[in-house]
Amino acid sequence: MTTTRCRAAHHKDPTPCEGPADVVTILDSRGRETTACVHHGARLLASLDGGRVHPLAALSDHALEVCSRARTLPPYPWEIGL
């Protein structure tokens, strides 16, 4: 059985999404956008140089959660088993 993951989930990252797949948008330094769940949004943000996060739901605290989690992660956390 194949499960669909959010667009931010790296193909080498085996972890499942957390919650809806489209609660935030992650922007890289060139302005490219990727929708994400909280879990993979944080992992992607931690791996980007100059990345930003924007909420997709009005009055959502998901963007703050993504930022908080990203600060605790190294870049590419799946490569070291996190």
Side-chain angles (χ1 to χ4, degrees), residues 4 22 28-29 32 39 45 49 51 58-59 64-65 67-68 72 80-81:
T4 303
D22 59 354
D28 68 12
S29 61
R32 293 178 290 207
H39 177 72
L45 188 61
D49 185 27
L59 302 174
L64 291 174
E65 179 68 19
C67 286
S68 294
T72 68
I80 58 171

Side-chain angles (χ1 to χ4, degrees), residues 2-81:
T2 305
T3 54
T4 303
R5 300 192 311 154
C6 71
R7 293 181 55 213
H10 192 277
H11 68 277
K12 291 183 179 179
D13 184 348
T15 61
C17 285
E18 182 181 316
D22 59 354
V23 295
V24 294
T25 297
I26 306 296
L27 290 93
D28 68 12
S29 61
R30 294 182 180 181
R32 293 178 290 207
E33 300 179 0
T34 302
T35 56
C37 70
V38 169
H39 177 72
H40 290 113
R43 292 164 82 82
L44 177 58
L45 188 61
S47 303
L48 292 175
D49 185 27
R52 298 175 311 212
V53 60
H54 292 277
L56 287 177
L59 302 174
S60 171
D61 62 347
H62 296 297
L64 291 174
E65 179 68 19
V66 168
C67 286
S68 294
R69 290 186 189 192
R71 283 193 290 264
T72 68
L73 294 169
Y76 311 104
W78 56 89
E79 291 183 351
I80 58 171

